[in-house]
Amino acid sequence: ARKEAALVENYSRLGRFFVLMRGFSRLTTSPGNSEGIFMKQRKTNVALVTAAIFIGTFMTAIEGTIVSTAMPTIIGSLHGVHLMNWVFSIFLLTNAMATPIYGKLSDKIGRKPVFLIGLTIFVIGSLLSGLSQSMEMLIIFRAIQGIGAGAIMPVTFTIIADIYPFEKRAKMLGFNGSMWGIASVIAPLLGGFIVDQLSWHWIFFINVPLGIFTFGLVWFFLQEDRRSVRQPLDMRGTVWLLVALLAMMYGFQTLAEPNGIWQLVAMAIVATLGFWRFWQAERRAVDPIIDLKLFENRTFVIHNLIAALISGFVIGFEVYMPMWIQGIRGMDASLGGFAVTPSSLMWVVGSFVAGKLLGRFQPKPILTGAMIWLLGGSLVLALVPQSTPYFVFLLVAGALGFGFGLVITITTVTAQAVVAPDQVGVATSFNTLSRTLGQTLMVSVYGIVLNLRLTQGIAADSRLNSNMLNELINPHTAKNLPAAVLPTLRQILYEGLHNIYFFSIIIVALAILA
């Protein structure tokens, strides 16, 4: 009897051991499971994951500005001035095309694996871009970079939505947005230092250690439930969406080129066919890449439309304000770049205020007030005289940045809040895609508006040619222009930039109407 009792006790202990190990396995492999009672549940380290998000955002934010700073040196090394625009355009194209795919995958398999995959592709593309020996190679590798970057922005927004409650989300989006402000300040200085002291290759190589460090933080400190992939990815819908986006984005990029209108018409036909086939595929798909029911939600549609329109105004301000400072005011390039810095800094303040206001008011009155504020800023830019002092532009930039922060943060948070939890990734990626498409379309339209006025101005004066305008925009070469033609050239550029900001008034008005 004593032997039997001892044997039962041993088996009982062994049984408890296996129960304990099973509970430990559940807790470590599925952090969201709360069934275990013996081991403490592993949780996401919110502080370190947030730091990783900020670093990832900073890498993508600094990418465009730092490459712009190094582009003259890159052209001198690789000899491909006629391909220069594609170094930027291809990054934008592949970024926009990849965004909705990553958004869907983040809902299906989790934020963590998708972010890590995108970050890995971005780092590989950065390494290869730094090793480029020709402009063609650089363009190809920048495309790879863009594919990776397409995951970083939307998935970071989605992770913020996962790890922060609604009332804190706008504040953290503001902190995350501050990385763009920091990048706008650091990028010209860092890019100039790297090009002067090392070589242009290092503007890409610098992403490798930052990317590896960010990878490690997310790998070890972001915990999330494992997700079972019940349905395969909607490949038919994905392919047709990529065709439509590629045609539309490429058409926008060629809009300002000679005979670009015919290329735009051809691409518009292809894009229309692609979207039509995409719509058909999504109606039949068991698990569509973008659920068409999202577009039945008026709040979701309107907020994304507003984000696209206001993002178009943002790109017009940030691209052409430095040209105003350099070409019309005759100031250095560094001062031209810093003219938009208050916008980035006040964007953060606007995001914080948005978080406070969303806790007390509905989004509609806040958005309306913010866009009326932006309308006033666009009117100032459209009406200020040619002799406006530099500090006035700094004040206007700060005021506009505050409005941008309010609008973009509220539209992002609302687009996440009005969809089901299992569609937050898709909703966030679509919001990012809307902003990218708005910027791509508007920068092409702005180019046409500006070029039309510049062409008319040059044709009206036999003393002028287009090369003079190119020299005027660079303060160093502007000194070589005949003094007699400088006032006329500056007046033509002034009128062209005013036309852009008059057009921006229409864009903001359309957003208010929406």
Side-chain angles (χ1 to χ4, degrees):
R2 284 195 300 271
K3 288 181 179 179
E4 281 188 11
L7 189 62
V8 169
E9 177 64 20
N10 287 336
Y11 276 117
S12 178
R13 290 174 179 173
L14 187 62
R16 288 198 298 271
F17 172 75
F18 280 118
V19 169
L20 174 65
M21 294 306 296
R22 186 175 64 177
F24 173 78
S25 174
R26 280 200 296 260
L27 286 169
T28 53
T29 58
S30 181
N33 194 326
S34 58
E35 294 177 5
I37 58 174
F38 299 102
M39 301 296 292
K40 187 176 181 180
Q41 179 179 342
R42 290 182 63 192
K43 295 182 179 179
T44 292
N45 189 316
V46 174
L48 292 178
V49 171
T50 302
I53 288 172
F54 290 171
I55 296 171
T57 302
F58 177 79
M59 285 194 299
T60 53
I62 203 172
E63 191 60 34
T65 310
I66 199 170
V67 173
S68 300
T69 304
M71 186 52 65
T73 306
I74 294 174
I75 292 172
S77 174
L78 301 182
H79 307 292
V81 66
H82 61 288
L83 297 173
M84 180 188 73
N85 287 341
W86 278 103
V87 175
F88 302 98
S89 299
I90 197 68
F91 182 88
L92 189 65
L93 282 168
T94 54
N95 189 329
M97 290 169 58
T99 294
I101 299 174
Y102 286 125
K104 183 62 178 180
L105 287 175
S106 72
D107 285 335
K108 290 175 71 70
I109 65 176
R111 327 301 188 200
K112 181 175 179 177
V114 173
F115 180 84
L116 294 179
I117 290 170
L119 183 62
T120 301
I121 295 172
F122 179 80
V123 170
I124 292 172
S126 299
L127 179 62
L128 293 175
S129 296
L131 296 173
S132 299
Q133 300 299 313
S134 68
M135 287 293 279
E136 289 80 5
M137 290 178 64
L138 179 59
I139 290 169
I140 293 172
F141 297 145
R142 283 278 288 173
I144 297 174
Q145 248 194 325
I147 292 172
I152 295 176
M153 184 184 296
V155 178
T156 53
F157 287 165
T158 309
I159 293 174
I160 288 174
D162 287 344
I163 65 178
Y164 287 99
F166 180 82
E167 61 272 13
K168 293 184 178 179
R169 200 175 298 167
K171 180 187 292 187
M172 299 315 301
L173 287 172
F175 276 123
N176 194 46
S178 70
M179 295 299 104
W180 292 86
I182 295 171
S184 69
V185 176
I186 291 179
L189 304 175
L190 181 61
F193 174 81
I194 290 175
V195 170
D196 293 337
Q197 302 300 323
L198 300 171
S199 74
W200 66 265
H201 301 275
W202 280 94
I203 67 169
F204 299 107
F205 290 154
I206 196 173
N207 290 326
V208 177
L210 285 175
I212 293 173
F213 179 67
T214 305
F215 188 100
L217 289 178
V218 174
W219 176 273
F220 289 109
F221 297 111
L222 176 60
Q223 310 298 331
E224 61 180 8
D225 293 337
R226 289 185 176 180
R227 306 187 184 203
S228 58
V229 183
R230 299 176 182 175
Q231 300 292 340
L233 185 65
D234 174 24
M235 292 305 300
R236 179 176 296 179
T238 300
V239 170
W240 283 115
L241 179 61
L242 292 181
V243 170
L245 289 176
L246 178 61
M248 185 167 60
M249 299 280 286
Y250 180 77
F252 291 159
Q253 293 296 329
T254 60
L255 193 56
E257 297 178 1
N259 299 321
I261 187 64
W262 299 111
Q263 296 183 60
L264 176 63
V265 170
M267 291 299 102
I269 294 172
V270 175
T272 302
L273 174 63
F275 280 123
W276 177 61
R277 294 303 302 269
F278 166 74
W279 178 71
Q280 288 186 319
E282 298 308 271
R283 290 178 61 193
R284 301 188 184 99
V286 178
D287 188 19
I289 187 170
I290 297 179
D291 192 345
L292 297 179
K293 291 181 180 179
L294 287 174
F295 300 103
E296 297 174 4
N297 186 324
R298 188 176 68 175
T299 302
F300 177 81
V301 173
I302 294 301
H303 277 72
N304 281 291
L305 175 60
I306 292 171
L309 291 169
I310 298 302
S311 294
F313 179 30
V314 171
I315 199 70
F317 170 73
E318 293 185 345
V319 168
Y320 292 103
M321 183 50 59
M323 186 182 295
W324 184 312
I325 300 301
Q326 292 175 242
I328 297 175
R329 299 291 302 165
M331 296 182 174
D332 291 337
S334 58
L335 290 175
F338 284 122
V340 300
T341 299
S343 169
S344 301
L345 299 178
M346 289 301 294
W347 191 308
V348 183
V349 178
S351 297
F352 292 159
V353 173
K356 297 291 185 182
L357 293 177
L358 281 173
R360 302 176 58 187
F361 305 101
Q362 291 295 317
K364 183 174 180 177
I366 310 172
L367 274 179
T368 304
M371 288 187 292
I372 292 174
W373 178 272
L374 291 177
L375 185 65
S378 62
L379 280 168
V380 171
L381 290 177
L383 297 175
V384 291
Q386 188 174 339
S387 58
T388 303
Y390 181 72
F391 78 88
V392 173
F393 293 108
L394 297 179
L395 294 175
V396 173
L400 288 175
F402 180 76
F404 294 151
L406 282 171
V407 173
I408 299 302
T409 301
I410 291 172
T411 53
T412 302
V413 172
T414 306
Q416 293 173 336
V418 298
V419 300
D422 62 345
Q423 292 184 320
V424 170
V426 170
T428 306
S429 67
F430 187 82
N431 180 264
T432 305
L433 178 62
S434 299
R435 292 162 58 185
T436 303
L437 291 176
Q439 291 184 335
T440 305
L441 171 61
M442 292 315 304
V443 79
S444 300
V445 173
Y446 287 142
I448 293 174
V449 171
L450 179 63
N451 290 334
L452 183 63
R453 179 64 194 101
L454 298 183
T455 302
Q456 292 173 345
I458 292 172
D461 194 325
S462 59
R463 300 174 300 167
L464 308 180
N465 58 65
S466 57
N467 289 332
M468 288 182 175
L469 281 171
N470 293 329
E471 294 179 10
L472 176 70
I473 294 170
N474 186 340
H476 299 292
T477 57
K479 299 175 183 178
N480 302 325
L481 290 171
V485 300
L486 272 176
T488 305
L489 288 170
R490 284 176 174 156
Q491 180 64 26
I492 293 171
L493 181 59
Y494 168 78
E495 292 173 359
L497 293 175
H498 263 266
N499 287 349
I500 286 176
Y501 292 121
F502 276 119
F503 195 83
S504 295
I505 294 173
I506 299 174
I507 299 304
V508 180
L510 287 174
I512 294 173
L513 181 62

